[in-house]
Coordinates of all heavy atoms in Angstrom, one line a residue:
M1 N 90.8 34.9 -126.6 CA 91.0 34.1 -127.8 C 92.5 34.3 -128.2 O 93.0 35.3 -128.0 CB 90.1 34.7 -128.9 CG 88.6 34.6 -128.7 SD 88.0 33.0 -128.3 CE 88.4 32.1 -129.7
L2 N 93.0 33.2 -128.7 CA 94.4 33.2 -129.0 C 94.6 33.1 -130.5 O 93.7 32.6 -131.3 CB 95.1 32.0 -128.4 CG 95.2 31.9 -126.9 CD1 95.8 30.7 -126.4 CD2 95.9 33.1 -126.3
Y3 N 95.7 33.7 -131.0 CA 96.1 33.7 -132.4 C 95.0 33.9 -133.4 O 94.5 35.0 -133.5 CB 96.9 32.4 -132.7 CG 97.8 32.5 -133.9 CD1 98.8 33.4 -133.9 CD2 97.6 31.7 -135.0 CE1 99.6 33.6 -135.1 CE2 98.3 31.9 -136.1 CZ 99.4 32.8 -136.2 OH 100.1 32.9 -137.3
D4 N 94.7 32.9 -134.3 CA 93.7 33.1 -135.4 C 92.4 32.4 -135.1 O 91.7 32.0 -136.0 CB 94.3 32.5 -136.7 CG 94.5 31.0 -136.7 OD1 94.5 30.4 -135.5 OD2 94.6 30.4 -137.7
R5 N 92.0 32.3 -133.8 CA 90.8 31.7 -133.5 C 89.6 32.6 -133.6 O 89.7 33.8 -133.3 CB 90.8 31.1 -132.1 CG 91.9 30.1 -131.9 CD 91.7 28.9 -132.7 NE 92.6 27.8 -132.3 CZ 93.6 27.3 -133.0 NH1 93.9 27.9 -134.1 NH2 94.3 26.3 -132.5
V6 N 88.4 32.1 -133.9 CA 87.2 32.8 -134.0 C 86.1 32.0 -133.2 O 85.9 30.8 -133.5 CB 86.7 32.9 -135.5 CG1 85.4 33.7 -135.6 CG2 87.8 33.6 -136.4
L7 N 85.4 32.7 -132.3 CA 84.4 32.1 -131.5 C 83.0 32.5 -132.2 O 82.8 33.7 -132.4 CB 84.4 32.6 -130.1 CG 83.5 31.9 -129.1 CD1 84.0 30.4 -128.9 CD2 83.5 32.6 -127.8
V8 N 82.2 31.5 -132.5 CA 81.0 31.8 -133.3 C 79.8 31.3 -132.5 O 79.8 30.2 -132.0 CB 81.0 31.1 -134.6 CG1 79.8 31.3 -135.4 CG2 82.3 31.5 -135.4
A9 N 78.8 32.1 -132.5 CA 77.5 31.7 -131.9 C 76.6 31.2 -133.1 O 76.3 32.0 -134.0 CB 76.8 32.9 -131.2
P10 N 76.3 29.9 -133.1 CA 75.6 29.4 -134.3 C 74.2 30.0 -134.4 O 73.6 30.4 -133.5 CB 75.5 27.9 -134.0 CG 76.5 27.6 -133.0 CD 76.7 28.9 -132.2
D11 N 73.8 30.2 -135.7 CA 72.5 30.7 -136.0 C 71.4 29.8 -135.5 O 71.6 28.6 -135.5 CB 72.4 30.9 -137.5 CG 71.5 32.1 -137.9 OD1 71.0 32.8 -137.0 OD2 71.4 32.3 -139.1
A12 N 70.2 30.4 -135.3 CA 69.1 29.6 -134.8 C 68.5 28.6 -135.8 O 67.8 27.7 -135.5 CB 68.0 30.5 -134.3
E13 N 68.9 28.8 -137.1 CA 68.3 28.0 -138.1 C 68.9 26.6 -138.2 O 68.5 25.8 -139.1 CB 68.4 28.7 -139.5 CG 69.8 28.7 -140.0 CD 70.0 29.4 -141.4 OE1 69.2 30.3 -141.7 OE2 70.9 28.9 -142.1
L14 N 69.7 26.2 -137.3 CA 70.3 24.8 -137.3 C 69.2 23.8 -137.0 O 69.5 22.6 -137.2 CB 71.5 24.7 -136.3 CG 72.7 25.5 -136.7 CD1 73.8 25.4 -135.7 CD2 73.2 25.0 -138.1
G15 N 68.1 24.2 -136.5 CA 67.0 23.2 -136.2 C 66.2 22.8 -137.4 O 66.7 22.7 -138.5
E16 N 64.9 22.7 -137.2 CA 64.0 22.4 -138.4 C 64.1 23.5 -139.4 O 64.2 24.7 -139.0 CB 62.6 22.2 -137.9 CG 62.4 20.9 -137.1 CD 60.9 20.7 -136.7 OE1 60.1 21.7 -136.9 OE2 60.6 19.6 -136.3
R17 N 63.8 23.2 -140.6 CA 63.8 24.2 -141.7 C 62.7 23.8 -142.7 O 62.3 22.6 -142.7 CB 65.1 24.4 -142.4 CG 65.7 23.2 -142.9 CD 67.2 23.4 -143.4 NE 67.7 22.3 -144.1 CZ 68.1 21.2 -143.6 NH1 68.1 21.0 -142.3 NH2 68.5 20.2 -144.4
K18 N 62.3 24.7 -143.6 CA 61.3 24.4 -144.6 C 61.9 24.4 -145.9 O 62.7 25.3 -146.2 CB 60.1 25.4 -144.5 CG 59.2 25.1 -143.3 CD 58.0 26.0 -143.5 CE 57.0 25.8 -142.3 NZ 55.8 26.6 -142.4
S19 N 61.4 23.5 -146.8 CA 61.8 23.5 -148.2 C 61.0 24.6 -148.9 O 60.1 25.2 -148.4 CB 61.6 22.2 -148.9 OG 60.2 22.0 -149.0
S20 N 61.4 24.9 -150.2 CA 60.7 25.9 -150.9 C 59.2 25.5 -151.2 O 58.4 26.4 -151.4 CB 61.4 26.2 -152.2 OG 61.5 25.0 -153.0
A21 N 58.9 24.2 -151.1 CA 57.6 23.8 -151.3 C 56.8 23.8 -150.0 O 55.6 23.4 -149.9 CB 57.6 22.4 -151.9
G22 N 57.4 24.1 -148.8 CA 56.7 24.2 -147.6 C 56.8 22.9 -146.7 O 56.2 22.8 -145.7
I23 N 57.6 21.9 -147.2 CA 57.8 20.7 -146.4 C 58.8 20.9 -145.3 O 59.8 21.5 -145.5 CB 58.3 19.6 -147.3 CG1 57.3 19.3 -148.5 CG2 58.6 18.3 -146.5 CD1 57.8 18.4 -149.5
V24 N 58.4 20.5 -144.1 CA 59.3 20.7 -142.9 C 60.3 19.6 -142.9 O 60.0 18.4 -143.0 CB 58.4 20.7 -141.6 CG1 59.4 20.7 -140.4 CG2 57.4 21.8 -141.6
I25 N 61.6 20.0 -142.8 CA 62.7 19.1 -142.8 C 63.3 19.1 -141.4 O 63.7 20.1 -140.9 CB 63.8 19.5 -143.8 CG1 63.2 19.6 -145.2 CG2 65.0 18.5 -143.7 CD1 64.1 20.2 -146.2
P26 N 63.2 18.0 -140.6 CA 63.7 18.0 -139.2 C 65.2 18.1 -139.2 O 65.9 17.8 -140.1 CB 63.2 16.6 -138.7 CG 63.0 15.8 -139.9 CD 62.7 16.7 -141.1
A27 N 65.7 18.6 -138.0 CA 67.1 18.8 -137.8 C 67.9 17.5 -137.9 O 69.1 17.5 -138.2 CB 67.3 19.5 -136.5
T28 N 67.2 16.4 -137.7 CA 67.9 15.1 -137.7 C 68.0 14.5 -139.0 O 68.6 13.4 -139.2 CB 67.2 14.1 -136.7 OG1 65.9 14.0 -137.1 CG2 67.3 14.6 -135.3
A29 N 67.4 15.1 -140.1 CA 67.4 14.5 -141.4 C 68.9 14.6 -142.0 O 69.6 15.5 -141.8 CB 66.5 15.3 -142.3
A30 N 69.3 13.5 -142.6 CA 70.6 13.4 -143.1 C 70.6 14.0 -144.5 O 69.8 13.6 -145.4 CB 71.0 11.9 -143.3
V31 N 71.4 15.0 -144.7 CA 71.6 15.7 -146.0 C 73.1 15.7 -146.3 O 73.9 15.4 -145.5 CB 71.0 17.1 -145.9 CG1 69.5 17.2 -145.7 CG2 71.7 18.0 -144.9
G32 N 73.4 16.1 -147.5 CA 74.8 16.2 -147.9 C 75.5 17.2 -147.1 O 74.9 17.8 -146.2
K33 N 76.7 17.5 -147.4 CA 77.5 18.5 -146.7 C 76.8 19.8 -146.8 O 76.6 20.4 -147.9 CB 78.9 18.5 -147.3 CG 79.9 19.3 -146.4 CD 81.3 19.1 -146.9 CE 82.2 19.8 -146.0 NZ 83.6 19.6 -146.3
R34 N 76.4 20.4 -145.6 CA 75.7 21.6 -145.6 C 76.5 22.6 -144.7 O 76.8 22.3 -143.6 CB 74.3 21.4 -145.0 CG 73.4 22.6 -145.0 CD 72.1 22.2 -144.5 NE 71.2 23.4 -144.4 CZ 70.4 23.7 -145.4 NH1 70.3 23.0 -146.5 NH2 69.6 24.8 -145.3
L35 N 76.7 23.8 -145.2 CA 77.4 24.8 -144.4 C 76.4 25.5 -143.6 O 75.2 25.5 -143.8 CB 78.1 25.8 -145.4 CG 79.1 25.2 -146.3 CD1 79.7 26.3 -147.2 CD2 80.3 24.6 -145.5
A36 N 76.9 26.2 -142.5 CA 76.0 26.8 -141.5 C 76.4 28.3 -141.3 O 77.6 28.7 -141.5 CB 76.1 26.1 -140.2
W37 N 75.5 29.1 -141.0 CA 75.7 30.5 -140.7 C 75.8 30.7 -139.2 O 75.2 30.0 -138.4 CB 74.6 31.4 -141.2 CG 74.5 31.5 -142.6 CD1 73.7 30.8 -143.5 CD2 75.3 32.4 -143.5 NE1 73.9 31.2 -144.8 CE2 74.9 32.2 -144.8 CE3 76.3 33.3 -143.2 CZ2 75.5 32.8 -145.9 CZ3 76.9 34.0 -144.3 CH2 76.5 33.8 -145.6
G38 N 76.6 31.7 -138.8 CA 76.8 32.0 -137.3 C 77.3 33.4 -137.2 O 77.7 34.1 -138.2
V39 N 77.2 34.0 -136.0 CA 77.6 35.3 -135.7 C 78.9 35.3 -134.9 O 79.0 34.6 -133.9 CB 76.5 36.1 -134.9 CG1 77.0 37.5 -134.6 CG2 75.3 36.1 -135.8
V40 N 79.9 36.1 -135.2 CA 81.2 36.1 -134.5 C 81.0 36.8 -133.2 O 80.5 37.9 -133.0 CB 82.2 36.9 -135.4 CG1 83.5 37.0 -134.6 CG2 82.5 36.3 -136.7
A41 N 81.4 36.0 -132.1 CA 81.3 36.5 -130.7 C 82.6 37.0 -130.2 O 82.6 37.8 -129.3 CB 80.7 35.4 -129.9
A42 N 83.7 36.4 -130.7 CA 85.1 36.9 -130.2 C 86.1 36.5 -131.3 O 85.9 35.5 -132.1 CB 85.4 36.2 -128.9
V43 N 87.2 37.2 -131.4 CA 88.2 37.0 -132.3 C 89.6 37.1 -131.6 O 89.7 37.8 -130.7 CB 88.2 37.9 -133.5 CG1 87.0 37.7 -134.4 CG2 88.3 39.3 -133.1
G44 N 90.6 36.3 -132.1 CA 91.9 36.4 -131.6 C 92.7 37.6 -132.2 O 92.2 38.3 -133.2
P45 N 93.9 37.9 -131.7 CA 94.6 39.1 -132.2 C 95.1 39.0 -133.6 O 95.4 40.1 -134.2 CB 95.8 39.2 -131.2 CG 95.9 37.8 -130.6 CD 94.6 37.2 -130.7
H46 N 95.2 37.8 -134.2 CA 95.8 37.7 -135.5 C 94.7 37.4 -136.6 O 95.0 37.0 -137.7 CB 96.8 36.6 -135.6 CG 98.0 36.9 -134.7 ND1 99.0 37.8 -135.1 CD2 98.4 36.5 -133.5 CE1 99.9 37.9 -134.2 NE2 99.6 37.1 -133.2
V47 N 93.5 37.7 -136.2 CA 92.4 37.6 -137.2 C 92.2 38.9 -137.9 O 92.1 39.9 -137.3 CB 91.0 37.2 -136.5 CG1 89.9 37.2 -137.4 CG2 91.2 35.8 -135.8
H48 N 92.2 38.8 -139.3 CA 92.2 40.0 -140.1 C 90.9 40.2 -140.9 O 90.6 41.3 -141.3 CB 93.4 40.1 -141.0 CG 94.7 40.0 -140.2 ND1 95.2 41.0 -139.4 CD2 95.6 39.0 -140.1 CE1 96.3 40.7 -138.9 NE2 96.6 39.5 -139.3
Q49 N 90.3 39.1 -141.3 CA 89.2 39.1 -142.2 C 87.8 39.3 -141.6 O 86.9 39.7 -142.3 CB 89.2 37.9 -143.1 CG 90.5 37.6 -143.8 CD 90.7 38.7 -144.9 OE1 89.8 39.2 -145.6 NE2 91.9 39.2 -145.0
V50 N 87.6 39.0 -140.4 CA 86.3 39.1 -139.7 C 86.4 39.9 -138.5 O 87.5 40.0 -137.9 CB 85.7 37.7 -139.4 CG1 85.4 36.9 -140.6 CG2 86.5 36.9 -138.4
K51 N 85.3 40.5 -138.0 CA 85.3 41.2 -136.8 C 84.0 40.8 -136.0 O 83.1 40.1 -136.5 CB 85.3 42.7 -137.1 CG 84.1 43.2 -137.9 CD 84.3 44.7 -138.2 CE 83.2 45.2 -139.0 NZ 82.9 44.6 -140.3
L52 N 83.9 41.3 -134.7 CA 82.8 41.0 -133.9 C 81.5 41.4 -134.5 O 81.4 42.5 -135.1 CB 82.9 41.8 -132.6 CG 84.1 41.3 -131.6 CD1 84.1 42.2 -130.4 CD2 83.9 39.9 -131.2
G53 N 80.5 40.5 -134.4 CA 79.2 40.8 -135.0 C 79.0 40.4 -136.4 O 77.9 40.5 -136.9
D54 N 80.1 40.0 -137.2 CA 79.9 39.6 -138.6 C 79.2 38.3 -138.6 O 79.3 37.4 -137.8 CB 81.3 39.4 -139.2 CG 82.0 40.7 -139.7 OD1 81.3 41.7 -139.7 OD2 83.1 40.6 -140.1
K55 N 78.4 38.1 -139.7 CA 77.7 36.9 -139.9 C 78.5 36.1 -140.9 O 78.8 36.6 -142.0 CB 76.3 37.1 -140.5 CG 75.4 35.9 -140.6 CD 74.0 36.2 -141.0 CE 73.2 34.9 -141.0 NZ 71.8 35.2 -141.3
I56 N 79.0 34.9 -140.5 CA 79.9 34.1 -141.3 C 79.3 32.8 -141.7 O 78.4 32.3 -141.0 CB 81.3 33.9 -140.6 CG1 81.1 33.1 -139.3 CG2 81.9 35.3 -140.3 CD1 82.4 32.7 -138.7
L57 N 79.9 32.2 -142.8 CA 79.5 30.9 -143.3 C 80.6 29.9 -143.0 O 81.8 30.2 -143.3 CB 79.2 30.9 -144.8 CG 78.7 29.7 -145.4 CD1 77.3 29.4 -144.9 CD2 78.6 29.9 -147.0
F58 N 80.3 28.8 -142.3 CA 81.4 27.8 -142.0 C 80.9 26.4 -142.1 O 79.7 26.2 -142.2 CB 81.9 28.1 -140.5 CG 80.9 27.9 -139.5 CD1 80.8 26.7 -138.8 CD2 80.0 28.9 -139.1 CE1 79.9 26.5 -137.8 CE2 79.0 28.7 -138.2 CZ 79.0 27.5 -137.5
D59 N 81.8 25.5 -142.1 CA 81.4 24.0 -142.2 C 81.2 23.5 -140.7 O 82.2 23.5 -140.0 CB 82.5 23.3 -142.9 CG 82.2 21.8 -143.1 OD1 81.1 21.4 -142.6 OD2 83.0 21.1 -143.7
P60 N 80.0 23.1 -140.4 CA 79.8 22.7 -139.0 C 80.5 21.4 -138.7 O 80.6 21.0 -137.5 CB 78.2 22.5 -138.9 CG 77.8 22.4 -140.3 CD 78.8 23.1 -141.2
E61 N 81.0 20.6 -139.6 CA 81.7 19.4 -139.4 C 83.1 19.6 -138.9 O 83.7 18.8 -138.2 CB 81.7 18.5 -140.6 CG 80.3 18.1 -141.1 CD 79.5 17.3 -140.1 OE1 80.1 16.4 -139.4 OE2 78.3 17.6 -140.0
D62 N 83.7 20.7 -139.3 CA 85.1 21.1 -138.9 C 85.1 22.1 -137.8 O 85.4 23.2 -137.9 CB 85.8 21.7 -140.1 CG 85.9 20.8 -141.3 OD1 85.9 19.6 -141.1 OD2 86.0 21.3 -142.4
R63 N 84.7 21.6 -136.6 CA 84.5 22.6 -135.5 C 84.8 21.9 -134.2 O 84.8 20.7 -134.0 CB 83.1 23.1 -135.5 CG 82.1 22.0 -135.2 CD 80.7 22.6 -135.1 NE 79.8 21.5 -134.7 CZ 78.5 21.5 -135.0 NH1 78.0 22.5 -135.6 NH2 77.8 20.5 -134.6
S64 N 85.0 22.8 -133.2 CA 85.1 22.4 -131.8 C 84.0 23.2 -131.1 O 83.9 24.4 -131.3 CB 86.5 22.8 -131.2 OG 87.5 22.1 -131.9
E65 N 83.3 22.5 -130.2 CA 82.2 23.2 -129.5 C 82.6 23.5 -128.1 O 83.4 22.7 -127.5 CB 80.9 22.3 -129.5 CG 80.3 22.2 -130.9 CD 79.0 21.4 -130.8 OE1 78.6 20.9 -129.8 OE2 78.4 21.3 -131.9
V66 N 82.2 24.6 -127.6 CA 82.5 25.0 -126.2 C 81.2 25.6 -125.6 O 80.4 26.3 -126.4 CB 83.7 25.9 -126.1 CG1 83.4 27.2 -126.8 CG2 84.1 26.2 -124.7
E67 N 80.9 25.4 -124.3 CA 79.8 26.0 -123.7 C 80.2 27.0 -122.7 O 81.0 26.7 -121.8 CB 78.9 24.9 -123.0 CG 77.6 25.4 -122.6 CD 76.7 24.3 -122.1 OE1 76.7 23.2 -122.7 OE2 76.0 24.6 -121.1
L68 N 79.8 28.3 -122.8 CA 80.1 29.3 -121.9 C 78.8 30.0 -121.4 O 78.0 30.4 -122.2 CB 80.9 30.4 -122.6 CG 82.3 30.0 -123.1 CD1 82.9 31.1 -124.0 CD2 83.2 29.6 -122.0
E69 N 78.6 30.0 -120.1 CA 77.4 30.6 -119.4 C 76.2 30.0 -120.1 O 75.3 30.8 -120.5 CB 77.5 32.1 -119.5 CG 78.7 32.7 -118.8 CD 78.8 34.2 -118.9 OE1 77.9 34.8 -119.5 OE2 79.7 34.7 -118.3
A70 N 76.1 28.7 -120.2 CA 74.9 28.0 -120.7 C 74.6 28.3 -122.2 O 73.5 28.1 -122.7 CB 73.7 28.3 -119.9
T71 N 75.5 28.8 -122.9 CA 75.4 29.1 -124.4 C 76.4 28.3 -125.1 O 77.6 28.4 -124.8 CB 75.5 30.6 -124.7 OG1 74.6 31.3 -123.9 CG2 75.3 30.9 -126.1
A72 N 76.0 27.6 -126.1 CA 76.9 26.8 -127.0 C 77.5 27.6 -128.0 O 76.8 28.4 -128.7 CB 76.2 25.6 -127.6
Y73 N 78.9 27.6 -128.2 CA 79.6 28.3 -129.2 C 80.4 27.3 -130.0 O 80.7 26.2 -129.6 CB 80.5 29.3 -128.5 CG 79.9 30.5 -127.8 CD1 79.6 30.4 -126.5 CD2 79.4 31.6 -128.6 CE1 79.0 31.5 -125.8 CE2 78.8 32.6 -127.9 CZ 78.6 32.6 -126.6 OH 78.0 33.6 -125.9
T74 N 80.9 27.8 -131.2 CA 81.7 27.0 -132.0 C 83.1 27.7 -132.1 O 83.1 28.9 -132.3 CB 81.1 26.9 -133.4 OG1 79.8 26.3 -133.3 CG2 81.9 26.0 -134.4
L75 N 84.1 27.0 -132.0 CA 85.5 27.5 -132.1 C 86.1 27.1 -133.4 O 86.2 25.9 -133.7 CB 86.3 27.0 -130.9 CG 87.7 27.6 -130.8 CD1 87.7 29.1 -130.6 CD2 88.5 26.9 -129.6
L76 N 86.5 28.1 -134.2 CA 87.1 27.8 -135.6 C 88.4 28.6 -135.7 O 88.7 29.5 -135.0 CB 86.2 28.4 -136.7 CG 84.7 28.0 -136.7 CD1 84.0 28.9 -137.7 CD2 84.6 26.6 -137.2
R77 N 89.2 28.2 -136.7 CA 90.3 29.0 -137.2 C 89.8 29.9 -138.2 O 88.8 29.6 -138.9 CB 91.4 28.1 -137.8 CG 92.1 27.2 -136.8 CD 93.2 26.4 -137.5 NE 93.9 25.6 -136.5 CZ 95.1 25.8 -136.1 NH1 95.8 26.8 -136.5 NH2 95.6 25.0 -135.2
E78 N 90.5 31.0 -138.4 CA 90.0 32.0 -139.4 C 90.0 31.4 -140.8 O 89.1 31.7 -141.6 CB 90.9 33.2 -139.4 CG 90.5 34.3 -140.4 CD 91.4 35.5 -140.4 OE1 92.6 35.4 -140.0 OE2 90.9 36.6 -140.8
R79 N 90.9 30.5 -141.1 CA 91.0 29.9 -142.4 C 89.8 28.9 -142.7 O 89.5 28.6 -143.8 CB 92.3 29.1 -142.6 CG 92.3 27.9 -141.7 CD 93.6 27.1 -141.9 NE 93.6 25.9 -141.1 CZ 94.7 25.3 -140.7 NH1 95.9 25.8 -140.9 NH2 94.6 24.2 -139.9
D80 N 89.0 28.6 -141.6 CA 87.8 27.7 -141.8 C 86.6 28.5 -142.1 O 85.5 27.9 -142.3 CB 87.6 26.9 -140.5 CG 88.8 25.9 -140.3 OD1 89.4 25.5 -141.3 OD2 89.0 25.5 -139.1
V81 N 86.7 29.8 -142.2 CA 85.5 30.6 -142.5 C 85.4 30.7 -144.0 O 86.4 31.0 -144.7 CB 85.7 32.1 -141.9 CG1 84.6 33.0 -142.4 CG2 85.7 32.0 -140.4
H82 N 84.3 30.3 -144.6 CA 84.1 30.3 -146.0 C 83.6 31.6 -146.6 O 83.9 31.9 -147.8 CB 83.0 29.2 -146.4 CG 83.5 27.8 -146.1 ND1 84.4 27.2 -147.0 CD2 83.3 27.0 -145.1 CE1 84.7 26.0 -146.5 NE2 84.0 25.9 -145.3
A83 N 82.8 32.4 -145.9 CA 82.3 33.7 -146.4 C 81.8 34.6 -145.2 O 81.6 34.1 -144.1 CB 81.1 33.4 -147.3
V84 N 81.8 35.9 -145.5 CA 81.3 36.9 -144.6 C 80.1 37.6 -145.2 O 80.3 38.1 -146.4 CB 82.4 37.9 -144.2 CG1 81.8 38.9 -143.2 CG2 83.6 37.2 -143.6
S85 N 79.0 37.6 -144.6 CA 77.8 38.2 -145.1 C 77.9 39.7 -144.9 O 78.3 40.2 -143.9 CB 76.6 37.7 -144.4 OG 75.4 38.4 -144.8
E86 N 77.4 40.4 -146.0 CA 77.3 41.9 -145.9 C 75.9 42.2 -145.4 O 74.9 41.6 -145.8 CB 77.5 42.5 -147.2 CG 78.9 42.5 -147.7 CD 79.2 43.2 -149.0 OE1 78.3 43.9 -149.4 OE2 80.3 43.1 -149.5
P87 N 75.7 43.3 -144.6 CA 74.4 43.7 -144.1 C 73.6 44.2 -145.3 O 74.1 44.8 -146.2 CB 74.6 44.8 -143.1 CG 76.0 45.2 -143.4 CD 76.8 44.1 -144.0
E88 N 72.2 44.0 -145.2 CA 71.4 44.5 -146.3 C 71.3 46.0 -146.2 O 71.3 46.6 -145.1 CB 70.0 43.9 -146.1 CG 69.9 42.5 -146.4 CD 68.4 42.0 -146.4 OE1 67.5 42.8 -146.6 OE2 68.3 40.8 -146.1
T89 N 71.3 46.7 -147.3 CA 71.2 48.2 -147.3 C 69.7 48.5 -147.7 O 69.1 47.9 -148.5 CB 72.1 48.8 -148.4 OG1 71.8 48.2 -149.6 CG2 73.6 48.4 -148.0
E90 N 69.3 49.6 -147.1 CA 67.9 50.1 -147.3 C 67.8 50.9 -148.6 O 66.8 51.1 -149.1 CB 67.5 51.0 -146.1 CG 67.3 50.2 -144.8 CD 66.2 49.2 -144.9 OE1 65.2 49.5 -145.6 OE2 66.3 48.1 -144.3
T91 N 68.9 51.5 -149.1 CA 68.9 52.3 -150.2 C 68.9 51.5 -151.5 O 69.5 50.4 -151.6 CB 70.1 53.3 -150.3 OG1 71.3 52.5 -150.3 CG2 70.1 54.2 -149.1
I92 N 68.2 51.9 -152.5 CA 68.1 51.2 -153.8 C 69.1 52.0 -154.7 O 69.0 53.2 -154.9 CB 66.7 51.2 -154.4 CG1 65.8 50.5 -153.4 CG2 66.7 50.6 -155.8 CD1 64.3 50.6 -153.9
T93 N 70.0 51.2 -155.2 CA 71.0 51.9 -156.2 C 70.7 51.5 -157.6 O 70.5 50.3 -157.9 CB 72.4 51.4 -155.8 OG1 72.5 50.0 -155.9 CG2 72.8 51.9 -154.4
G94 N 70.6 52.4 -158.4 CA 70.4 52.1 -159.9 C 68.9 52.1 -160.2 O 68.0 52.1 -159.3
M95 N 68.6 52.1 -161.4 CA 67.2 52.1 -161.9 C 66.9 50.8 -162.6 O 67.7 50.3 -163.5 CB 67.0 53.3 -162.8 CG 65.6 53.5 -163.3 SD 65.6 54.9 -164.4 CE 64.2 55.7 -163.8
Y96 N 65.9 50.1 -162.2 CA 65.5 48.8 -162.8 C 64.3 48.9 -163.6 O 63.3 49.5 -163.1 CB 65.3 47.8 -161.6 CG 66.6 47.6 -160.8 CD1 66.7 48.2 -159.6 CD2 67.6 46.8 -161.3 CE1 67.9 48.1 -158.9 CE2 68.8 46.6 -160.5 CZ 68.9 47.3 -159.3 OH 70.0 47.2 -158.6
L97 N 64.3 48.4 -164.8 CA 63.1 48.5 -165.7 C 62.4 47.2 -165.7 O 62.9 46.2 -165.7 CB 63.6 48.9 -167.1 CG 64.3 50.3 -167.1 CD1 64.8 50.5 -168.5 CD2 63.4 51.4 -166.7

């Protein structure tokens, strides 16, 4: 990877999904601008905000796709990453009433 590039393996949820009411929404359904989650597979030397294995949020419309060893990846610039997900913690902090 060069400079500020991030290689992302798109999340499996890009296919069909269910609404909160249980209605199946096909992958081909036209919806408004929807961001997608993916896992960082590689980063360039000048990437500072994300690291390998991070789950990130990005705009699937602003991307370049590449296929390596029969796996489709998305190539982004670091500035195109909208958010980085934190892993869930098993410990409960604080007391809730």
Side-chain angles (χ1 to χ4, degrees):
M1 302 301 303
L2 298 176
Y3 199 62
D4 66 341
R5 301 296 195 250
V6 178
L7 190 67
V8 180
D11 209 2
E13 72 179 31
L14 290 177
E16 289 184 347
R17 57 189 190 280
K18 284 188 177 181
S19 70
S20 59
I23 298 171
V24 175
I25 303 169
T28 57
V31 294
K33 190 170 184 174
R34 184 177 179 95
L35 300 177
W37 289 99
V39 178
V40 176
V43 294
H46 296 284
V47 174
H48 303 290
Q49 302 295 319
V50 297
K51 60 186 181 301
L52 291 177
D54 280 351
K55 189 171 182 179
I56 62 169
L57 186 66
F58 64 97
D59 185 358
E61 299 299 320
D62 299 333
R63 67 178 182 202
S64 298
E65 291 183 357
V66 63
E67 189 173 323
L68 299 170
E69 298 178 3
T71 304
Y73 292 96
T74 302
L75 185 62
L76 305 168
R77 289 180 181 255
E78 183 181 22
R79 69 177 183 211
D80 295 331
V81 174
H82 294 278
V84 178
S85 174
E86 290 186 8
E88 290 186 27
T89 58
E90 293 293 326
T91 61
I92 300 174
T93 58
M95 185 179 220
Y96 300 98
L97 302 175

